[in-house]
Structures are given as structure tokens and as C-alpha cells.
Amino acid sequence: MSIITTFYKYYQNFKKKKYSNKVKKVANVVGNDLKVNGPSYVTPNTELGNNVNFNGIKIQGHGKVIIGDNFHSGIECMLITDIHNYDNGKSIPYDETVISKDIIIKDNVWIGNKVTILAGVTIGEGAIIQAGSVVVKNIPKYGIAGGHPAKVFKYRDKEHYEQLKKEKRFH
């Protein structure tokens, strides 16, 4: 191995450790085996399960974000827990009131690159969100969703999923 390759690997590991430490320092709860492979930002209202893998995620707002076990994100993902008061506000397009709503992501969820998840959404266990999607409504257990707004277009094979889960075969 060349010295350049060795240095590059060292530098990559250094960055991953830096990203992980930052998430651990800010998040309210962090489970075991956190992996942070890209720049990621969480809030003090963030709770992370075990075997959470971030490849570049930004969580913003004052609402709670709960992410279950065996979560994987693509790069440049965003979870936004706040919305502006536009319906009953004192000015337009919105007033100074901020409305916070929680985001809940159950176990074994995978979200692709550049996914945006908006306030008040729950993503069910085992769901997959296609790259580039904007999730504005709840996604059911085993649902595979995509688009703007994200809609379920398929479901995982439930029996196969449950068998892998029983055997504790998690990536």
C-alpha cells in the first residue's frame, strides 16, 4: 500500500470519528454501534437506536426525532420537524409562530440519497424510501415508497423480511 493510500484511509477514519463524536455529543439518546460516514447534524431532541448508519443527514427543528434500530440513510438527507403558521397566522405568507411535530422512524428503515422527511411523519418498520423522495405522510410497515410526495408503490415480502429479522441478519 502506498503512503498516499495509507494517509487517505487514516484521514477518512479520522473524519468518520469526528462526525460520530459530534452526533453523540448532541443527540439525547444514542444506541450502540452508531456509524456516521458523512457530515451529519442532529438536535438535542434526537433519539437513536442501535446500529444506526448515517451517510450525511441533517435533522432540524424543535420536534422530537426518534430513529429505531438498524437504520440506514443515504447522503444529503433532511428531516424537518418545524413548520410555519400559515393557516391561522397574523401575517402572510406566515407569521412568527413555529409549529413543531415529531418524526418517528421505526426499526430496519432505509432511506435513499437526498430524501426529505417532513414534520409529523411516521415511517413504519422495514420501510424503504426511494432516493430523492419527499415524505409528507406516514409510510406503513414494509412499504416501499417514492416520489414527490412519496407514495407506496410496493411492499416488501413480509415472510422473507420476518425470517431475516428472526435470524437477526442486520446490515
Side-chain angles (χ1 to χ4, degrees):
M1 204 175 345
S2 76
I3 192 158
I4 293 171
T5 304
T6 302
F7 177 76
Y8 180 76
K9 286 184 178 184
Y10 171 80
Y11 180 69
Q12 292 297 79
N13 287 334
F14 172 79
K15 286 195 324 186
K16 288 177 186 181
K17 189 176 278 191
K18 179 180 165 188
Y19 300 146
S20 294
N21 287 339
K22 187 173 182 182
V23 168
K24 287 177 183 176
K25 185 177 180 180
V26 175
N28 184 38
V29 175
V30 178
N32 297 321
D33 301 320
L34 173 69
K35 294 171 194 74
V36 184
N37 299 313
S40 296
Y41 306 91
V42 299
T43 70
N45 295 325
T46 303
E47 298 180 9
L48 306 175
N50 298 313
N51 191 34
V52 168
N53 294 268
F54 291 155
N55 288 302
I57 196 166
K58 183 174 186 179
I59 297 172
Q60 66 180 54
H62 297 95
K64 185 181 279 190
V65 173
I66 301 171
I67 297 176
D69 297 342
N70 310 308
F71 172 82
H72 284 255
S73 78
I75 59 171
E76 298 181 30
C77 295
M78 186 171 287
L79 282 63
I80 306 167
T81 64
D82 291 345
I83 59 174
H84 292 287
N85 184 22
Y86 57 86
D87 271 339
N88 301 308
K90 297 175 184 163
S91 57
I92 51 176
Y94 54 84
D95 68 15
E96 67 283 343
T97 307
V98 174
I99 301 165
S100 299
K101 296 182 180 183
D102 299 343
I103 295 173
I104 300 170
I105 300 174
K106 304 286 184 158
D107 293 346
N108 311 316
V109 170
W110 172 26
I111 63 174
N113 292 348
K114 297 186 177 186
V115 167
T116 300
I117 301 171
L118 299 182
V121 167
T122 296
I123 298 180
E125 179 185 342
I128 299 171
I129 310 299
Q130 188 179 42
S133 298
V134 178
V135 185
V136 300
K137 292 184 179 179
N138 295 347
I139 304 297
K141 187 173 185 175
Y142 313 120
I144 301 173
H148 307 277
K151 294 181 182 174
V152 175
F153 60 85
K154 185 177 177 180
Y155 285 88
R156 283 183 181 251
D157 179 324
K158 181 181 174 183
E159 289 76 29
H160 180 70
Y161 174 89
E162 291 297 334
Q163 182 62 37
L164 292 173
K165 183 176 163 183
K166 182 179 173 185
E167 295 171 5
K168 299 183 184 211
R169 297 184 58 165
F170 305 112
H171 178 68

